Amino acid sequence: MQPLKNPFGIIDPNEKPKQYQNNPFDIQNEELNETIKLGDNVVYQEEKQLLFDQSKQQPLETVEDISLLEDLDITSPLLIKSRIMSVLFFQKCDSEYLEDPDLSGPLLIVVSLGLLPLFTGRVHFNFIYGIGVWGWLLLYFLMNFMIQQQGKQIEFYKILSYLGYGLSQIVILSILSLFKELNNSFGYALAITCAIWSTASVSKTFDTILGLQHRRFLIAYPLFLFYCTFVIITIF
Amino acid sequence: MKPEQIATVDPFDFIMIPTDQNQQLQFKFGNPLLEESASTISKKIGDFEGKYYSFITSLFSSQYRLYFDVDNQYILRKLTLLHAPIIYKGDWTLNDESQKFSQTKNIHSLDLYLPLMGLITLVLLRCLNAAISNAIQYTSIYMINTFWKCLLVSAIEVVITRILFCLFGNFKVTIIDLISTSNYKYCNLSTLYIFNLITFHIFSAVATIYILFSQAIFVYKSSQICIEKHDQNNQEHENSFEPTLAFIISMLQITCSCVLLYVL
């Protein structure tokens, strides 16, 4: 014998059915003017009512209200875009970026920094990544030694994230080098500008986090050297 | 009449595998040793992570952090001391042991920030100059080679200085102090380089002689800090070789600087 499917039987045993005629297990639906017979596979009576009564339907949210990425809970591209903009234009860093930085953006930036010189016939993957890793390690130890007096410590991945986003300006320089030769006075001035630009934005981030009182320039100088290294590799 | 409560039956019950059968399947197709080894590896990774964090915390809170306890004022005064040591007359030795680790209060104390920044600055300046003059084809390789040459010369100098200290009876001088004292020359060499670039090498000879002379005086007076520390611990022994040792170390410093100027 197949199991009987009666919605009233499982929801509340004390709840009385609305109406029934002849067969006590049949349910009379006055709104739809029909009888739900015993054995009918009607699971959601309310949904069935809505199908026939359009006026009771709640307005569905339009597609324009929620983007597909937000609907799918994929926020990385938006996050990367907002953080790159905050680094490039000295916008105020959101607290979420300072507390929980991501590595997807820096990874994208570093990969593009390695791929762009390919268009000019230069293969610098090993130098970019090697110098980047050594510079990152050096800055990690240097900063943690310098801020230890204040009882603070900064993690590996945070420094990598901040440094990585600071390379956005170098990527712009690398894109410009595709269209114009930068081994001249204009290129040198542009390179120094990009290095100072990167240094200023990243040192501002570190200053916000670490609260450096008399050491901002002492932190900014190694950052400047770090970005100058990439600038030299990009131009020459 | 009240309808009886009929328990619903999930039509998909036949898909559910009983736990007994699940374990049997695991035993047939899986390997319990793999689970055990995976749990062991995860425990070891957890232990390693704990040890790593404790090591990092102890490293950053050790005495090495004091070599980076600098501020803007100290850096400016130290750079002045490096380039014009004649201005600071008198005894450079530290009166109190606690002043050794008080960079912000005493500019004669040792640090590692300036030598490190000086080294990197010199390497980048050399690479930049060579790249601008199109003297090199691969900037990255030149940068790495320059860096390793500087490190090699510094390492040899530190080793020789350590041997000299041992020969003169000073066994307790730390390697970190020697590294700090001997590598301040990179700041002087960077300044020399920038000066030559600005003046188009017109006063190159005079500037070089001045820089080497400044380095010699600085190292001569700074090395006495290390020698004095040993004398404080062993007051009975009179170190009559103190000026000789300091002189030899200063000459070694000049020699290494000349080697660097020639090699780079």
Side-chain angles (χ1 to χ4, degrees):
Chain A
M1 183 179 177
Q2 289 186 354
L4 301 174
K5 297 174 186 178
N6 190 327
F8 290 97
I10 57 172
I11 294 174
D12 187 359
N14 296 325
E15 184 180 351
K16 294 180 181 179
K18 290 180 181 178
Q19 283 184 6
Y20 52 90
Q21 292 177 1
N22 300 328
N23 190 337
F25 296 100
D26 289 343
I27 299 161
Q28 187 68 26
N29 193 330
E30 291 178 352
E31 293 177 356
L32 295 178
N33 194 21
E34 65 175 18
T35 303
I36 301 171
K37 296 286 184 182
L38 181 66
D40 287 348
N41 192 6
V42 178
V43 181
Y44 300 108
Q45 187 65 21
E46 290 181 358
E47 284 187 2
K48 188 174 180 184
Q49 285 183 353
L50 287 171
L51 286 174
F52 291 95
D53 190 355
Q54 298 289 334
S55 63
K56 288 188 180 178
Q57 284 184 358
Q58 292 178 0
L60 296 171
E61 287 182 339
T62 58
V63 177
E64 289 82 16
D65 293 336
I66 303 173
S67 64
L68 180 62
L69 289 177
E70 286 182 14
D71 194 22
L72 294 173
D73 201 21
I74 296 173
T75 56
S76 294
L78 303 171
L79 205 65
I80 293 169
K81 183 183 173 186
S82 66
R83 289 180 178 179
I84 289 175
M85 286 299 157
S86 71
V87 167
L88 288 177
F89 300 109
F90 295 95
Q91 291 175 3
K92 192 176 180 183
C93 301
D94 54 339
S95 60
E96 188 184 346
Y97 170 55
L98 297 176
E99 291 167 9
D100 187 21
D102 68 309
L103 292 176
S104 54
L107 189 64
L108 188 68
I109 292 170
V110 166
V111 167
S112 60
L113 194 61
L115 286 175
L116 284 169
L118 285 177
F119 293 104
T120 57
R122 292 178 293 172
V123 183
H124 289 319
F125 285 101
N126 50 352
F127 298 115
I128 288 172
Y129 299 147
I131 291 171
V133 168
W134 281 106
W136 163 46
L137 285 171
L138 209 61
L139 283 168
Y140 169 71
F141 283 107
L142 182 68
M143 287 196 186
N144 276 295
F145 275 127
M146 289 182 74
I147 64 172
Q148 193 61 30
Q149 297 297 327
Q150 300 165 275
K152 297 178 185 175
Q153 192 171 343
I154 187 167
E155 286 87 359
F156 249 132
Y157 69 95
K158 283 186 179 177
I159 291 183
L160 182 62
S161 178
Y162 303 144
L163 291 177
Y165 276 110
L167 286 172
S168 309
Q169 292 86 341
I170 313 298
V171 171
I172 295 174
L173 182 70
S174 186
I175 292 170
L176 289 173
S177 71
L178 298 178
F179 303 104
K180 186 173 170 49
E181 181 67 30
L182 295 178
N183 197 358
N184 48 35
S185 303
F186 172 72
Y188 304 151
L190 194 63
I192 292 172
T193 307
C194 285
I196 294 172
W197 189 8
S198 296
T199 306
S201 61
V202 176
S203 66
K204 183 186 170 190
T205 307
F206 279 114
D207 195 16
T208 307
I209 297 165
L210 304 175
L212 304 166
Q213 295 171 353
H214 304 291
R215 301 179 184 183
R216 184 171 179 182
F217 291 106
L218 299 184
I219 295 290
Y221 185 69
L223 290 172
F224 176 72
L225 295 178
F226 178 74
Y227 290 117
C228 276
T229 311
F230 287 95
V231 160
I232 289 173
I233 293 173
T234 302
I235 292 179
F236 300 107
Chain B
M1 183 176 176
K2 188 176 179 180
E4 292 178 0
Q5 297 178 22
I6 299 171
T8 55
V9 177
D10 194 337
F12 300 105
D13 274 345
F14 68 94
I15 297 175
M16 292 291 292
I17 301 172
T19 53
D20 294 336
Q21 291 182 6
N22 199 11
Q23 285 178 357
Q24 288 176 5
L25 279 173
Q26 281 185 353
F27 184 74
K28 281 182 186 176
F29 300 106
N31 192 348
L33 290 177
L34 281 177
E35 289 184 5
E36 194 175 333
S37 60
S39 65
T40 308
I41 289 170
S42 63
K43 281 180 189 174
K44 285 187 178 178
I45 290 172
D47 292 340
F48 174 76
E49 188 180 4
K51 286 178 185 175
Y52 166 75
Y53 277 118
S54 63
F55 168 73
I56 287 292
T57 307
S58 64
L59 175 68
F60 291 139
S61 57
S62 65
Q63 60 177 356
Y64 300 116
R65 80 181 193 278
L66 298 169
Y67 289 93
F68 294 94
D69 183 20
V70 295
D71 60 354
N72 296 337
Q73 201 66 25
Y74 169 81
I75 294 295
L76 288 172
R77 292 166 64 191
K78 192 76 173 186
L79 285 173
T80 310
L81 177 67
L82 282 169
H83 294 92
I86 304 171
I87 297 175
Y88 293 88
K89 298 177 183 177
D91 193 9
W92 286 13
T93 55
L94 302 171
N95 296 325
D96 190 10
E97 184 65 27
S98 62
Q99 285 190 4
K100 179 181 185 290
F101 297 131
S102 178
Q103 278 81 356
T104 55
K105 294 178 183 175
N106 188 358
I107 61 168
H108 299 304
S109 54
L110 303 171
D111 71 293
L112 287 174
Y113 179 85
L114 269 176
L116 186 62
M117 292 301 115
L119 169 64
I120 298 172
T121 306
L122 180 68
V123 169
L124 288 178
L125 281 172
R126 284 290 308 168
C127 292
L128 190 64
N129 186 42
I132 290 173
S133 58
N134 293 322
I136 54 172
Q137 189 177 4
Y138 300 106
T139 312
S140 308
I141 297 174
Y142 186 78
M143 193 184 298
I144 294 169
N145 288 340
T146 307
F147 188 70
W148 282 113
K149 284 175 190 172
C150 293
L151 280 185
L152 190 63
V153 170
S154 294
I156 292 171
E157 183 181 355
V158 168
V159 167
I160 295 173
T161 310
R162 188 72 176 93
I163 293 170
L164 284 171
F165 269 92
C166 291
L167 288 174
F168 281 86
N170 254 323
F171 297 98
K172 292 188 179 179
V173 62
T174 59
I175 298 291
I176 297 290
D177 288 343
L178 292 179
I179 290 172
S180 176
T181 309
S182 61
N183 287 322
Y184 278 112
K185 61 175 176 287
Y186 292 117
C187 299
N188 297 70
L189 292 176
S190 301
T191 310
L192 174 66
Y193 211 83
I194 293 170
F195 181 80
N196 287 336
L197 283 175
I198 293 171
T199 59
F200 300 101
H201 295 264
I202 296 173
F203 304 106
S204 173
V206 175
T208 306
I209 292 169
Y210 175 76
I211 286 295
L212 292 176
F213 181 68
S214 301
Q215 279 181 23
I217 294 175
F218 177 80
V219 172
Y220 180 83
K221 290 205 165 186
S222 294
S223 59
Q224 292 180 354
I225 297 172
C226 304
I227 299 168
E228 275 293 319
K229 189 171 68 170
H230 173 73
D231 284 343
Q232 285 173 6
N233 295 330
N234 188 8
Q235 292 177 356
E236 293 179 359
H237 171 68
E238 291 183 1
N239 194 351
S240 59
F241 298 106
E242 174 187 326
T244 310
L245 176 59
F247 178 76
I248 294 172
I249 293 170
S250 61
M251 289 297 109
L252 177 65
Q253 170 92 161
I254 293 174
T255 309
C256 291
S257 298
C258 292
V259 167
L260 277 172
L261 288 172
Y262 175 74
V263 166
L264 294 180

